Amino acid sequence: SEDESSSSESEEETRTSSNKPNKRARTESQNNDETPVVAPPPLSVAPPVTSTESQAHRTQTARHKKIIVLLDLARLETVKNRRDTYELLNCDDHRDLCTRKLKKDPKQYRPDICHQELLALIDSPLNKAGCLQVYIKTTSNVLVEIHPSIRIPRTYKRFSGLMVQLLHKMKIKASGSSTTLMKVIKNPFSRHLPAGAAA
């Protein structure tokens, strides 16, 4: 009969559908079996150094470590000109004086070299951080100590006048302050070095 045939067909479909694998369930079970991916922890960032900490570190470094520079054999000698005033002896303005009276090569008298060296040292980041101490020793064995806070004149003419004043008065003080910016000190140079330092 038609009812029996239809019931048998429905039973076969049921058996067929039950025999088919459940792809969705199998996929889910496979996903559950897989090891979960763990995200790596974020990289730690060092805390920024504040200006106060940086300044304190520079101060501590300057206190314990200081570079000492000696500008040796500097040609800083004074001479009286025709106007009866003193100025630094140099190869440009006193060529005849060097050759005729002093009997020396004018090229040896180059105080401008010392001027340029002082500008480079005092303007350096090392000096501004308080880690530098500069000394000058002339060919006449005059030893000069330079204060780190000094502002070296930019022009040679002003520098020359400043050095003449130093060599004659033995020291230069800051205007409106008791700070000694440059002064002539006693030899030998080794006595001004820290303990354990080699000259």
Side-chain angles (χ1 to χ4, degrees), residues 4-67:
E4 292 177 355
S5 61
S6 61
S7 62
S8 61
E9 288 177 358
S10 62
E11 289 177 359
E12 289 179 359
E13 289 178 358
T14 304
R15 286 197 300 270
T16 304
S17 62
S18 62
N19 292 334
K20 289 182 180 180
N22 193 337
K23 293 183 179 180
R24 182 176 180 182
R26 188 166 53 195
T27 304
E28 291 178 355
S29 64
Q30 289 177 355
N31 291 337
N32 293 331
D33 293 339
E34 292 179 357
T35 304
V37 178
V38 180
L43 296 176
S44 59
V45 180
V49 180
T50 61
S51 59
T52 305
E53 293 175 351
S54 179
Q55 185 177 1
H57 177 70
R58 287 197 301 267
T59 304
Q60 185 178 5
T61 303
R63 190 176 301 167
H64 296 285
K65 295 181 181 179
K66 207 163 192 178
I67 297 177

Side-chain angles (χ1 to χ4, degrees), residues 147-150 171-182:
H147 196 277
S149 65
I150 190 174
K171 63 182 177 181
I172 299 292
K173 286 190 174 183
S175 58
S177 173
S178 59
T179 304
T180 301
L181 300 177
M182 291 192 296

